Amino acid sequence: MVQKRIAVAITGASGAQYGVRLTQVLLQEGHHVHLMISEAAWQVFYEELGWDTSNREVILQDWMRSGDLEYHTMRDFKAPIASGSYPADGMVVVPCSMGTLSSIAHGASRNLLERAADVMLKEGRTLILVPRETPLNQIHLENMLKLAQVGAKIIPAMPGFYHHPQTMEDLIDFVVGKVLDNLGVEHHLFRRWGE
């Protein structure tokens, strides 16, 4: 297996489980992960996962012990992923808030997450956005269309049911598996159609 260099950004949209699970799987499979977590995402970790985020270093150290992970703050513009000269294999924003999606669509580059996404687009590399919002208004849809037209892949957090999921983890793994498919990363997170 060839190790890939993947940037994972977790924003404050509901669905922190998707970002956490994607990071876990990439690390378990031996890939190098550049992780970014927005301030709002830390709040969602507390609300949705029940994590004690008062000591974030403990959470980050646990992840670093489980694989090849580099953590970057949103202000770390010296991070390798801020430059097109760094050979990143792709980036996933999961879950992707509509505010983050809008900033990326308009080339804001106000923080490392937005800059790294801009780098992926300008270099023609894989950028995957996993929006988790409903209902979608016209602005959301126009921003997604704009990004799709310039090469980003939009994978909404919409699990399938043909594989007969039995648990919440099965539903999460379906979405994470679709992301991994689009990164070119092998996995066995769900039973494929026809298998």
mmCIF file of all heavy atoms in Angstrom, residues 1 8 19 30-31 39 44 52 60 77 83 88 97 116 119 121 125 136 147 158 166 172 177-178 185 188 191 194:
data_model
loop_
_atom_site.group_PDB
_atom_site.id
_atom_site.type_symbol
_atom_site.label_atom_id
_atom_site.label_comp_id
_atom_site.label_asym_id
_atom_site.label_seq_id
_atom_site.Cartn_x
_atom_site.Cartn_y
_atom_site.Cartn_z
ATOM 1 N N MET A 1 0.830 -1.177 0.000
ATOM 2 C CA MET A 1 0.000 0.000 0.000
ATOM 3 C C MET A 1 0.881 1.249 0.000
ATOM 4 O O MET A 1 1.849 1.339 0.737
ATOM 5 C CB MET A 1 -0.897 0.008 1.240
ATOM 6 C CG MET A 1 -1.750 1.244 1.339
ATOM 7 S SD MET A 1 -2.460 1.505 2.976
ATOM 8 C CE MET A 1 -1.023 1.946 3.912
ATOM 9 N N VAL A 8 -7.292 16.635 6.440
ATOM 10 C CA VAL A 8 -8.661 16.460 6.924
ATOM 11 C C VAL A 8 -9.005 17.679 7.763
ATOM 12 O O VAL A 8 -8.290 18.015 8.710
ATOM 13 C CB VAL A 8 -8.816 15.183 7.769
ATOM 14 C CG1 VAL A 8 -10.226 15.100 8.359
ATOM 15 C CG2 VAL A 8 -8.503 13.941 6.949
ATOM 16 N N GLY A 19 -15.976 13.150 10.488
ATOM 17 C CA GLY A 19 -14.588 13.587 10.463
ATOM 18 C C GLY A 19 -13.705 12.749 11.356
ATOM 19 O O GLY A 19 -12.571 12.395 10.996
ATOM 20 N N GLY A 30 -2.455 3.557 7.700
ATOM 21 C CA GLY A 30 -1.065 3.968 7.516
ATOM 22 C C GLY A 30 -0.852 5.215 6.683
ATOM 23 O O GLY A 30 0.261 5.456 6.212
ATOM 24 N N HIS A 31 -1.890 6.027 6.503
ATOM 25 C CA HIS A 31 -1.738 7.258 5.730
ATOM 26 C C HIS A 31 -1.334 8.420 6.642
ATOM 27 O O HIS A 31 -1.577 8.399 7.849
ATOM 28 C CB HIS A 31 -3.035 7.582 4.984
ATOM 29 C CG HIS A 31 -3.430 6.496 4.039
ATOM 30 N ND1 HIS A 31 -2.755 6.258 2.852
ATOM 31 C CD2 HIS A 31 -4.392 5.549 4.119
ATOM 32 C CE1 HIS A 31 -3.306 5.219 2.240
ATOM 33 N NE2 HIS A 31 -4.295 4.775 2.983
ATOM 34 N N GLU A 39 -12.774 26.009 15.600
ATOM 35 C CA GLU A 39 -13.229 26.259 16.972
ATOM 36 C C GLU A 39 -14.651 25.729 17.166
ATOM 37 O O GLU A 39 -14.972 25.130 18.198
ATOM 38 C CB GLU A 39 -13.169 27.761 17.274
ATOM 39 C CG GLU A 39 -13.416 28.102 18.711
ATOM 40 C CD GLU A 39 -12.434 27.454 19.677
ATOM 41 O OE1 GLU A 39 -11.236 27.333 19.351
ATOM 42 O OE2 GLU A 39 -12.882 27.041 20.775
ATOM 43 N N VAL A 44 -18.746 21.158 18.812
ATOM 44 C CA VAL A 44 -19.578 20.042 18.365
ATOM 45 C C VAL A 44 -19.073 18.724 18.962
ATOM 46 O O VAL A 44 -19.876 17.844 19.308
ATOM 47 C CB VAL A 44 -19.647 19.981 16.818
ATOM 48 C CG1 VAL A 44 -20.399 18.741 16.350
ATOM 49 C CG2 VAL A 44 -20.319 21.236 16.277
ATOM 50 N N ASP A 52 -14.768 15.606 26.568
ATOM 51 C CA ASP A 52 -14.298 16.695 27.414
ATOM 52 C C ASP A 52 -13.232 17.451 26.620
ATOM 53 O O ASP A 52 -12.100 17.003 26.498
ATOM 54 C CB ASP A 52 -13.708 16.141 28.713
ATOM 55 C CG ASP A 52 -13.125 17.230 29.594
ATOM 56 O OD1 ASP A 52 -13.262 18.431 29.260
ATOM 57 O OD2 ASP A 52 -12.521 16.885 30.627
ATOM 58 N N LEU A 60 -5.799 15.220 21.096
ATOM 59 C CA LEU A 60 -4.838 15.224 19.991
ATOM 60 C C LEU A 60 -3.728 14.207 20.213
ATOM 61 O O LEU A 60 -3.304 13.525 19.270
ATOM 62 C CB LEU A 60 -4.267 16.629 19.801
ATOM 63 C CG LEU A 60 -5.279 17.677 19.329
ATOM 64 C CD1 LEU A 60 -4.663 19.070 19.386
ATOM 65 C CD2 LEU A 60 -5.770 17.360 17.923
ATOM 66 N N PHE A 77 -0.127 29.199 8.975
ATOM 67 C CA PHE A 77 0.108 29.349 7.540
ATOM 68 C C PHE A 77 1.476 28.826 7.109
ATOM 69 O O PHE A 77 1.784 28.806 5.917
ATOM 70 C CB PHE A 77 -0.072 30.811 7.122
ATOM 71 C CG PHE A 77 -1.513 31.255 7.138
ATOM 72 C CD1 PHE A 77 -2.002 32.033 8.178
ATOM 73 C CD2 PHE A 77 -2.384 30.867 6.142
ATOM 74 C CE1 PHE A 77 -3.330 32.430 8.204
ATOM 75 C CE2 PHE A 77 -3.713 31.256 6.153
ATOM 76 C CZ PHE A 77 -4.198 32.040 7.191
ATOM 77 N N SER A 83 0.920 25.297 0.972
ATOM 78 C CA SER A 83 1.676 25.562 -0.258
ATOM 79 C C SER A 83 1.413 24.504 -1.317
ATOM 80 O O SER A 83 1.355 23.306 -1.017
ATOM 81 C CB SER A 83 3.177 25.593 0.060
ATOM 82 O OG SER A 83 3.918 25.678 -1.129
ATOM 83 N N ALA A 88 0.502 17.094 -1.478
ATOM 84 C CA ALA A 88 -0.659 16.480 -0.822
ATOM 85 C C ALA A 88 -1.456 15.691 -1.854
ATOM 86 O O ALA A 88 -1.566 16.092 -3.012
ATOM 87 C CB ALA A 88 -1.530 17.548 -0.180
ATOM 88 N N SER A 97 -19.284 22.924 7.030
ATOM 89 C CA SER A 97 -20.349 23.894 7.299
ATOM 90 C C SER A 97 -20.600 24.727 6.045
ATOM 91 O O SER A 97 -19.737 24.852 5.173
ATOM 92 C CB SER A 97 -19.953 24.805 8.466
ATOM 93 O OG SER A 97 -18.892 25.659 8.080
ATOM 94 N N ALA A 116 -5.673 25.918 2.399
ATOM 95 C CA ALA A 116 -5.347 24.565 1.924
ATOM 96 C C ALA A 116 -6.346 24.104 0.861
ATOM 97 O O ALA A 116 -5.966 23.482 -0.139
ATOM 98 C CB ALA A 116 -5.309 23.587 3.096
ATOM 99 N N VAL A 119 -5.491 25.791 -2.319
ATOM 100 C CA VAL A 119 -4.315 25.134 -2.914
ATOM 101 C C VAL A 119 -4.742 23.886 -3.682
ATOM 102 O O VAL A 119 -4.283 23.648 -4.800
ATOM 103 C CB VAL A 119 -3.266 24.790 -1.832
ATOM 104 C CG1 VAL A 119 -2.211 23.816 -2.364
ATOM 105 C CG2 VAL A 119 -2.601 26.058 -1.310
ATOM 106 N N LEU A 121 -7.545 23.256 -5.119
ATOM 107 C CA LEU A 121 -8.215 23.644 -6.357
ATOM 108 C C LEU A 121 -7.219 24.184 -7.385
ATOM 109 O O LEU A 121 -7.273 23.810 -8.557
ATOM 110 C CB LEU A 121 -9.297 24.687 -6.066
ATOM 111 C CG LEU A 121 -10.508 24.183 -5.288
ATOM 112 C CD1 LEU A 121 -11.421 25.339 -4.926
ATOM 113 C CD2 LEU A 121 -11.266 23.124 -6.075
ATOM 114 N N ARG A 125 -5.824 19.199 -7.497
ATOM 115 C CA ARG A 125 -5.815 18.006 -6.653
ATOM 116 C C ARG A 125 -7.211 17.743 -6.093
ATOM 117 O O ARG A 125 -8.101 18.577 -6.176
ATOM 118 C CB ARG A 125 -4.808 18.185 -5.519
ATOM 119 C CG ARG A 125 -3.389 18.336 -6.041
ATOM 120 C CD ARG A 125 -2.389 18.504 -4.918
ATOM 121 N NE ARG A 125 -1.059 18.741 -5.480
ATOM 122 C CZ ARG A 125 -0.158 19.530 -4.928
ATOM 123 N NH1 ARG A 125 -0.416 20.143 -3.786
ATOM 124 N NH2 ARG A 125 1.015 19.688 -5.503
ATOM 125 N N LEU A 136 -31.396 22.846 2.129
ATOM 126 C CA LEU A 136 -30.407 23.669 1.442
ATOM 127 C C LEU A 136 -31.115 24.836 0.757
ATOM 128 O O LEU A 136 -32.115 24.636 0.078
ATOM 129 C CB LEU A 136 -29.660 22.842 0.396
ATOM 130 C CG LEU A 136 -28.856 21.665 0.958
ATOM 131 C CD1 LEU A 136 -28.409 20.749 -0.177
ATOM 132 C CD2 LEU A 136 -27.663 22.156 1.757
ATOM 133 N N LEU A 147 -18.278 25.235 -6.802
ATOM 134 C CA LEU A 147 -17.126 24.409 -6.439
ATOM 135 C C LEU A 147 -17.027 23.160 -7.308
ATOM 136 O O LEU A 147 -15.926 22.773 -7.722
ATOM 137 C CB LEU A 147 -17.193 24.046 -4.956
ATOM 138 C CG LEU A 147 -16.824 25.201 -4.028
ATOM 139 C CD1 LEU A 147 -17.289 24.946 -2.608
ATOM 140 C CD2 LEU A 147 -15.318 25.454 -4.076
ATOM 141 N N MET A 158 -25.129 11.695 3.156
ATOM 142 C CA MET A 158 -26.391 10.995 2.904
ATOM 143 C C MET A 158 -26.102 9.504 2.804
ATOM 144 O O MET A 158 -25.729 9.015 1.738
ATOM 145 C CB MET A 158 -27.002 11.466 1.577
ATOM 146 C CG MET A 158 -27.374 12.910 1.533
ATOM 147 S SD MET A 158 -27.983 13.308 -0.121
ATOM 148 C CE MET A 158 -28.359 15.033 0.076
ATOM 149 N N GLN A 166 -27.167 -1.761 10.305
ATOM 150 C CA GLN A 166 -27.761 -2.207 11.559
ATOM 151 C C GLN A 166 -27.487 -1.248 12.714
ATOM 152 O O GLN A 166 -28.182 -1.273 13.719
ATOM 153 C CB GLN A 166 -27.211 -3.603 11.923
ATOM 154 C CG GLN A 166 -27.470 -4.658 10.870
ATOM 155 C CD GLN A 166 -28.952 -4.905 10.638
ATOM 156 O OE1 GLN A 166 -29.683 -5.175 11.586
ATOM 157 N NE2 GLN A 166 -29.412 -4.787 9.403
ATOM 158 N N ILE A 172 -22.481 5.818 9.429
ATOM 159 C CA ILE A 172 -21.300 6.673 9.362
ATOM 160 C C ILE A 172 -20.277 6.086 8.401
ATOM 161 O O ILE A 172 -19.727 6.790 7.550
ATOM 162 C CB ILE A 172 -20.691 6.864 10.774
ATOM 163 C CG1 ILE A 172 -21.663 7.669 11.649
ATOM 164 C CG2 ILE A 172 -19.321 7.531 10.701
ATOM 165 C CD1 ILE A 172 -21.330 7.630 13.133
ATOM 166 N N GLY A 177 -16.843 5.712 3.762
ATOM 167 C CA GLY A 177 -16.392 4.850 2.666
ATOM 168 C C GLY A 177 -16.497 5.523 1.311
ATOM 169 O O GLY A 177 -15.617 5.370 0.455
ATOM 170 N N LYS A 178 -17.561 6.284 1.085
ATOM 171 C CA LYS A 178 -17.693 7.018 -0.182
ATOM 172 C C LYS A 178 -16.592 8.062 -0.314
ATOM 173 O O LYS A 178 -16.058 8.281 -1.405
ATOM 174 C CB LYS A 178 -19.075 7.689 -0.267
ATOM 175 C CG LYS A 178 -20.239 6.720 -0.270
ATOM 176 C CD LYS A 178 -20.222 5.789 -1.455
ATOM 177 C CE LYS A 178 -20.872 6.430 -2.648
ATOM 178 N NZ LYS A 178 -20.992 5.504 -3.798
ATOM 179 N N VAL A 185 -8.588 5.424 -1.748
ATOM 180 C CA VAL A 185 -8.101 4.659 -0.600
ATOM 181 C C VAL A 185 -8.971 3.419 -0.439
ATOM 182 O O VAL A 185 -10.195 3.520 -0.296
ATOM 183 C CB VAL A 185 -8.149 5.513 0.693
ATOM 184 C CG1 VAL A 185 -7.803 4.665 1.912
ATOM 185 C CG2 VAL A 185 -7.203 6.701 0.584
ATOM 186 N N HIS A 188 -12.985 -1.496 3.510
ATOM 187 C CA HIS A 188 -14.055 -2.497 3.568
ATOM 188 C C HIS A 188 -15.091 -2.046 4.593
ATOM 189 O O HIS A 188 -15.523 -2.819 5.442
ATOM 190 C CB HIS A 188 -13.478 -3.865 3.942
ATOM 191 C CG HIS A 188 -12.442 -4.347 2.980
ATOM 192 N ND1 HIS A 188 -12.753 -4.854 1.737
ATOM 193 C CD2 HIS A 188 -11.090 -4.359 3.056
ATOM 194 C CE1 HIS A 188 -11.635 -5.168 1.090
ATOM 195 N NE2 HIS A 188 -10.622 -4.872 1.869
ATOM 196 N N ARG A 191 -20.729 -3.042 2.581
ATOM 197 C CA ARG A 191 -20.921 -4.020 1.519
ATOM 198 C C ARG A 191 -21.402 -3.277 0.273
ATOM 199 O O ARG A 191 -22.389 -2.557 0.305
ATOM 200 C CB ARG A 191 -21.950 -5.068 1.942
ATOM 201 C CG ARG A 191 -22.150 -6.187 0.927
ATOM 202 C CD ARG A 191 -23.041 -7.274 1.489
ATOM 203 N NE ARG A 191 -24.307 -6.752 2.005
ATOM 204 C CZ ARG A 191 -25.363 -6.499 1.252
ATOM 205 N NH1 ARG A 191 -25.320 -6.691 -0.059
ATOM 206 N NH2 ARG A 191 -26.478 -6.038 1.798
ATOM 207 N N GLY A 194 -24.228 -5.388 -5.146
ATOM 208 C CA GLY A 194 -23.893 -6.564 -5.935
ATOM 209 C C GLY A 194 -22.965 -7.526 -5.226
ATOM 210 O O GLY A 194 -22.741 -8.632 -5.717
#
